[in-house]
Amino acid sequence: MKKIILSLTFIFFAFSSFAVSLEDFSLSVEPLFGMKWGQVDEYVFLKESKQSSDKLSELNWEIKPELYYGLKIRGGWKGFFEESHFTAGIPMKSGQMLDSDWQNIQYTSANGGNTLQTNYSESDNYLDYDISFGFKGGYEFQIREIFKIKPAIAFEYQNIKFTGKNGTGWYGNSKSGGGYYAYDDTENQNIRDFSGKEVVKYQRITDYLWMGSDFVVKLPMGFSVNTGFFLAPYVYAISYDNHLLTKKDYADKTIGFFAAFKWTLGASYNINERHSISLNASYFYMRVISGDNYEKDSSQKSYSSSTLVDGGAGAKYFDLTLSYKFKIF
């Protein structure tokens, strides 16, 4: 009997200790819906330009808008926290694809038109998909009762793809003395119509390593406001460009250091202890990063490295998100 009492006593204290430790843990889920507005930029740079500029081509893939849905899962133990997220863009028409070229930078002399924009086209832009997921971990510092500082390190993966369809292109004719006329020179231009055609496909896969901090201020009546600043010390992007009309494929491998920045600003309202809603806005900016370019015919399986050009990648957009959070414990 004594052994039974001792065993029950041990189980009771062990369970009590575990029950108390549960108070140090937290877990919540947060479904969300959002909208992005901005653009993804693609570049081609001439390795050895004959002029002051080395930009040979620029394509702007507009995000106007992108609607998406997703989920956040957040867990914590005492001051430590980990947050995972997943989002998926809804396939839809999203602005335009704008394609510009400056062909004259390839020539020593272009009859006074060395920096003219020689080609320009506009097509309807369609988002095929935009998948993103990531992890963020850090420690939460409570400053008095109303202020929190949450420094963190994060990793984010994004895979986005567009298709440019239909549209019109304006191309400057070649000059007899070398180079090309401007695309908008009505007397020396060639106009092409792309109605009913898929013109270009573009896919970018990007990895971000983020470092920064969020800040939260607790207000009366269940409200709070938050802001955050994150910088990416490392960005790695691989881009695939399929020119369907010319049957040419291109790939760019680009790396950037401290090349991306993200700022967030939002507000939350606690309905009760377990339920809350949030509205958050953010601005994302990635400066132009450049790297190796590869090319092949669409019928070929493998790429070859280009000795003439480098590839480039950039992006910028605003983001607005509405979410509902349920605290499990």
Side-chain angles (χ1 to χ4, degrees):
M1 185 68 180
K2 186 176 181 180
K3 290 182 178 180
I4 295 174
I5 294 173
L6 289 174
S7 298
L8 291 174
T9 303
F10 174 77
I11 293 172
F12 173 77
F13 281 108
F15 178 78
S16 300
S17 177
F18 177 73
V20 170
S21 67
L22 278 179
E23 297 179 359
D24 296 330
F25 289 87
S26 63
L27 180 64
S28 63
V29 294
E30 188 173 358
L32 57 91
F33 182 78
M35 181 187 73
K36 293 180 184 178
W37 190 279
Q39 66 185 43
V40 171
D41 300 317
E42 172 192 2
Y43 299 89
V44 179
F45 300 105
L46 202 61
K47 287 181 180 290
E48 297 183 5
S49 174
K50 304 297 183 180
Q51 309 300 331
S52 57
S53 173
D54 62 353
K55 184 167 67 172
L56 182 62
S57 179
E58 178 179 345
L59 284 79
N60 308 118
W61 300 86
E62 293 183 335
I63 303 173
K64 295 183 178 180
E66 174 193 331
L67 303 179
Y68 67 92
Y69 58 91
L71 179 70
K72 291 182 181 180
I73 301 176
R74 189 182 190 278
W77 176 71
K78 293 188 176 180
F80 295 96
F81 67 89
E82 191 280 331
E83 182 179 286
S84 303
H85 80 269
F86 169 81
T87 63
I90 299 173
M92 60 186 295
K93 186 179 183 302
S94 182
Q96 292 185 304
M97 186 277 289
L98 312 175
D99 187 356
S100 303
D101 296 316
W102 291 263
Q103 296 285 350
N104 287 342
I105 69 168
Q106 303 174 85
Y107 306 99
T108 304
S109 175
N111 296 338
N114 299 331
T115 59
L116 291 177
Q117 184 176 335
T118 57
N119 301 352
Y120 178 68
S121 66
E122 297 179 353
S123 298
D124 296 327
N125 186 30
Y126 290 84
L127 176 72
D128 296 320
Y129 55 76
D130 182 8
I131 298 171
S132 173
F133 66 83
F135 313 93
K136 180 167 69 174
Y139 188 83
E140 185 177 286
F141 294 92
Q142 182 77 49
I143 310 299
R144 297 187 178 178
E145 294 184 359
I146 64 170
F147 187 51
K148 293 180 181 179
I149 302 175
K150 302 161 64 176
I153 297 175
F155 167 80
E156 184 178 5
Y157 167 92
Q158 183 187 36
N159 188 342
I160 189 168
K161 186 177 182 181
F162 302 101
T163 298
K165 303 179 182 179
N166 307 311
T168 305
W170 296 265
Y171 306 92
N173 296 328
S174 60
K175 297 179 178 181
S176 58
Y180 294 86
Y181 290 96
Y183 78 95
D184 55 357
D185 186 337
T186 56
E187 296 182 357
N188 297 282
Q189 67 179 186
N190 175 32
I191 302 176
R192 295 181 61 187
D193 179 63
F194 306 132
S195 298
K197 298 178 181 178
E198 290 188 346
V199 182
V200 184
K201 289 181 179 291
Y202 183 69
Q203 179 188 15
R204 181 183 296 175
I205 302 170
T206 314
D207 296 324
Y208 303 94
L209 176 64
W210 295 102
M211 297 179 65
S213 183
D214 292 304
F215 305 88
V216 181
V217 178
K218 185 178 179 181
L219 302 176
M221 301 177 64
F223 288 95
S224 62
V225 294
N226 62 273
T227 189
F229 303 89
F230 282 83
L231 183 65
Y234 180 76
V235 179
Y236 178 73
I238 297 180
S239 305
Y240 299 97
D241 186 338
N242 309 116
H243 284 247
L244 305 177
L245 300 181
T246 60
K247 300 186 184 303
K248 286 284 189 179
D249 296 340
Y250 303 92
D252 300 324
K253 185 185 296 185
T254 52
I255 297 175
F257 299 98
F258 297 97
F261 169 80
K262 186 188 299 185
W263 170 60
T264 61
L265 179 66
S268 299
Y269 173 66
N270 292 327
I271 301 171
N272 54 41
E273 185 178 348
R274 290 186 177 271
H275 304 271
S276 63
I277 56 174
S278 299
L279 181 64
N280 287 283
S282 68
Y283 176 71
F284 168 87
Y285 174 78
M286 185 176 85
R287 64 175 173 82
V288 180
I289 58 177
S290 60
D292 296 329
N293 174 267
Y294 304 85
E295 58 185 49
K296 69 179 183 66
D297 293 331
S298 298
S299 59
Q300 296 176 320
K301 293 184 178 181
S302 59
Y303 289 88
S304 59
S305 179
S306 173
T307 59
L308 299 177
V309 299
D310 290 323
K316 52 182 175 291
Y317 57 78
F318 288 97
D319 194 335
L320 187 66
T321 305
L322 179 65
S323 63
Y324 157 75
K325 182 166 71 174
F326 172 68
K327 184 178 179 182
I328 299 174
F329 58 81

